[in-house]
Amino acid sequence: MNKSQKSMIALLGVLLVFFGFVIIRIGFAKPASTVKIAKIPAGEYDPAVWGKFYPLEYESYKKNATMALSPTGYGGSMKVQKSEQMPEINTNFKGMPFSVDYTEDRGHVYAMEDIKETKRIGPKSPGACITCKTPYLEKFYQESGWGYTKIPLTQLMDQVPSHGSISCANCHDPETMDLRVINPAFIEAMDRKGVDVSKASRQDMRSYVCGQCHAEYFFEPNTVRVVFPWDKGMKAGDMYAYYAEKPGGFVQDWQHPDSKTAMLKTQHPDFETWSTGTHGKAGVACADCHMPYMRQDGQKYSSHLMTSPLTNLDAACGTCHTQGSAWLMDQVKTTQDYTFEVLHTAGQNVAHAHEAIKKASEVPAVNQIELANARELVRKAQWYWDFVAAENSMGFHNPDQSLNTAAQASEFARQAIESANRAAGINLF
Ligand code: HEC
Ligand code: HEC
Ligand code: HEC
Ligand code: HEC
């Protein structure tokens, strides 16, 4: 090899390294972003520390402490008892803590405070309850795996400092700021549905980060693991069928003291209801409506005030809808009013069914087979009613399905009353 050949090879080598580097930069570059990534150490759960590097997001996150009523009269972030609007709640949840204390949800910064204060929590409550309240979940799961759910809740709460309510680390990888899910129950349930959350698209993650908490779940008996009952589908009927198979030995949340029925409690199926609705199916993410883009000093950022989009309709819906905020507000209000009417009636019918079954069971020669049938029907009716009542949007996330589910609840309640009448041999209702 002569001298010029050697320098040619050296030059080629340099060029190869240079262009290789350029290609790698282009190929792996993230979507254009105005955000400079600061490497926050893993295990940092204090939002104020994250806020030093991401002040716009942090300032909007802090606004989650504001409290307001929703302009439509449903939802909102005031801590009001839900039973004021729907007194049937007190009958339908008799014998379990939701009849004593069932308040409207409010901002993420209050999650730890509210779980400490709620009358639904007692010394026997399991650590599993902490799952959706704090980023310290990551630490507890790293230390004990699913074992954390068996540790008494009060013991885990003592390990969460005052900054420990839901925040940045629940949804972001501290080093890359990529979106992430830390609730293992969500990851496992999606895995059973054939979805690998670690490979999800950015747009899917913009809903998954919310779905990890805004979803229906139950605690598996003995292990106390948190499980999402999605194996048969995301609708009320699918989950009812799933629970009918007594998954992991799970039979009931509680027994209703009047009808002596093994009952189920639905927990906020927001993700499920959205996923089967118009927006969910069109790929419109939770963050599209609940975290609209804002602008400040020429910088674009996602609002981290996660509240009713009605407080900011133009930003929340205006990117896709050109009808104007008055039309949009009217659409939401109409959907919610219709849903509330059917739901309220359904809830009252369920309450009557509990009463009818109680009366039937007091009849000496009651037909036990009909009585058992009536109990099965009131269990089902209440599950369908609660599926809409416990969902947080009063029907908006999926208007026609919510109406359908509430209407079916009424019908099952009517059948339960008829069955109770047959069991008693007289018309009780
Ligand atoms: C198309 C826009 C849109 C999408 C997408 C959407 N929401 Fe909503 N959401 C709304 C509207 C509108 C309301 C009703 C607000 C009200 O009543 O003030 C609402 C209400 C809520 C509430 C109750 C708020 C309150 O004031 O109590 C929660 C919680 C919620 N949504 C969570 C979610 C989650 C989680 C997802 C994704 C799985 C999602 N939303 C997807 C528009 C949307
Ligand atoms: C409940 C989930 C959630 C929490 C909690 C959360 N974020 Fe985000 N964050 C998101 C989502 C969703 C996006 C949009 C990401 C995208 O579109 O790729 C985002 C985007 C961002 C971005 C990228 C720029 C932008 O504004 O779109 C930064 C930076 C950020 N968040 C910082 C924070 C900080 C700091 C905190 C805590 C104070 C925080 N986030 C808490 C869900 C969350
Ligand atoms: C770690 C669990 C968790 C995650 C992640 C989470 N939430 Fe929540 N969210 C909650 C809890 C718990 C509450 C109720 C807090 C309370 O009432 O003290 C709540 C309340 C809300 C409310 C009611 C606030 C109000 O002003 O009425 C909205 C809206 C909401 N979340 C939307 C979202 C959206 C959108 C996402 C994803 C971007 C999300 N949440 C992610 C657990 C979570
Ligand atoms: C990212 C885009 C996007 C955003 C943001 C969005 N929508 Fe939509 N919306 C759609 C699409 C897509 C449809 C399906 C029908 C269509 O193609 O027009 C739809 C349909 C609707 C419908 C008729 C169907 C139904 O479910 O009742 C209403 C009403 C509606 N949107 C209201 C809202 C409101 C209110 C907001 C803000 C809180 C909002 N949308 C935010 C894209 C969006």
Side-chain angles (χ1 to χ4, degrees):
M1 224 186 272
N2 63 28
K3 213 175 170 189
S4 70
Q5 275 173 323
K6 273 188 191 160
S7 50
M8 273 299 277
I9 287 172
L11 186 68
L12 269 174
V14 170
L15 286 175
L16 206 68
V17 169
F18 177 72
F19 282 111
F21 184 69
V22 169
I23 286 164
I24 287 170
R25 285 291 300 189
I26 294 169
F28 290 84
K30 296 255 155 61
S33 156
T34 48
V35 184
K36 221 171 132 256
I37 304 298
K39 278 203 161 74
I40 295 167
E44 177 57 69
Y45 302 123
D46 183 353
V49 174
W50 295 56
K52 282 189 207 135
F53 305 103
Y54 309 109
L56 290 173
E57 287 79 7
Y58 181 55
E59 284 309 311
S60 64
Y61 164 83
K62 282 198 289 188
K63 291 192 187 132
N64 285 300
T66 44
M67 284 185 264
L69 286 171
S70 161
T72 62
Y74 307 100
S77 45
M78 303 285 283
K79 208 173 162 186
V80 292
Q81 290 290 346
K82 288 197 179 209
S83 53
E84 283 171 24
Q85 225 170 13
M86 290 192 276
E88 59 273 20
I89 278 183
N90 293 332
T91 310
N92 297 349
F93 296 127
K94 212 167 168 182
M96 69 99 78
F98 277 97
S99 66
V100 185
D101 191 1
Y102 193 177
T103 51
E104 178 55 43
D105 59 356
R106 53 180 186 156
H108 286 159
V109 294
Y110 294 113
M112 278 306 294
E113 188 184 312
D114 286 346
I115 196 187
K116 278 186 189 143
E117 280 178 5
T118 178
K119 299 185 188 74
R120 298 202 302 265
I121 295 292
K124 284 202 194 121
S125 298
C129 302
I130 207 120
T131 308
C132 282
K133 310 292 178 217
T134 173
Y136 279 82
L137 166 69
E138 185 192 43
K139 178 173 173 279
F140 298 146
Y141 189 71
Q142 277 166 358
E143 284 168 2
S144 331
W146 273 117
Y148 82 87
T149 57
K150 279 190 166 180
I151 301 170
L153 177 63
T154 44
Q155 205 175 309
L156 290 184
M157 287 197 304
D158 288 344
Q159 294 179 43
V160 178
S162 59
H163 66 243
S165 204
I166 302 165
S167 72
C168 327
N170 279 101
C171 305
H172 291 285
D173 180 317
E175 288 182 26
T176 61
M177 286 312 279
D178 285 344
L179 292 178
R180 70 169 183 187
V181 166
I182 61 167
N183 183 355
F186 181 87
I187 296 167
E188 290 176 4
M190 291 300 273
D191 185 54
R192 293 197 302 275
K193 283 161 67 73
V195 179
D196 182 347
V197 174
S198 69
K199 297 203 175 82
S201 69
R202 172 174 167 229
Q203 184 63 9
D204 284 342
M205 288 304 285
R206 286 165 55 86
S207 296
Y208 290 177
V209 289
C210 318
Q212 64 178 318
C213 300
H214 287 266
E216 157 67 10
Y217 64 86
F218 69 103
F219 296 159
E220 195 176 69
N222 304 320
T223 66
V224 205
R225 283 162 83 113
V226 184
V227 181
F228 290 6
W230 295 347
D231 297 20
K232 289 183 189 290
M234 304 297 255
K235 298 182 183 173
D238 302 328
M239 292 186 213
Y240 193 72
Y242 175 86
Y243 282 129
E245 291 176 3
K246 305 189 175 65
F250 176 77
V251 179
Q252 63 176 44
D253 282 306
W254 90 108
Q255 195 194 62
H256 196 285
D258 292 347
S259 64
K260 303 277 189 294
T261 304
M263 302 300 295
L264 299 166
K265 174 78 194 80
T266 328
Q267 326 280 345
H268 38 71
D270 303 335
F271 182 77
E272 296 90 331
T273 302
W274 158 85
S275 73
T276 48
T278 312
H279 286 103
K281 283 197 270 192
V284 182
C286 315
D288 287 326
C289 295
H290 287 279
M291 300 181 67
Y293 289 116
M294 313 295 279
R295 219 168 250 291
Q296 193 176 313
D297 309 326
Q299 253 185 301
K300 193 175 154 194
Y301 68 101
S302 307
S303 168
H304 278 63
L305 166 57
M306 293 160 204
T307 186
S308 166
L310 305 183
T311 56
N312 197 358
L313 268 179
D314 287 326
C317 327
T319 36
C320 303
H321 292 284
T322 52
Q323 295 97 331
S325 56
W327 182 87
L328 288 160
M329 181 70 85
D330 186 58
Q331 286 296 309
V332 177
K333 169 113 177 88
T334 305
T335 292
Q336 293 187 327
D337 285 345
Y338 286 171
T339 308
F340 180 78
E341 268 174 33
V342 180
L343 185 66
H344 191 29
T345 308
Q348 288 166 321
N349 291 343
V350 172
H352 292 154
H354 283 298
E355 275 175 67
I357 294 169
K358 179 175 196 270
K359 284 188 186 159
S361 69
E362 287 159 359
V363 172
V366 63
N367 178 330
Q368 291 295 340
I369 294 168
E370 280 291 359
L371 192 64
N373 191 37
R375 286 187 175 130
E376 165 57 24
L377 283 161
V378 76
R379 168 176 156 110
K380 191 170 184 179
Q382 181 151 336
W383 169 260
Y384 276 63
W385 164 74
D386 204 8
F387 198 88
V388 183
E391 208 275 340
N392 276 303
S393 71
M394 192 52 81
F396 176 78
H397 290 145
N398 195 339
D400 43 6
Q401 179 180 294
S402 300
L403 280 176
N404 181 271
T405 306
Q408 289 194 70
S410 266
E411 172 56 17
F412 295 137
R414 189 192 62 78
Q415 290 175 15
I417 292 169
E418 279 186 359
S419 197
N421 285 342
R422 280 198 299 275
I426 43 166
N427 265 3
L428 299 159
F429 255 94

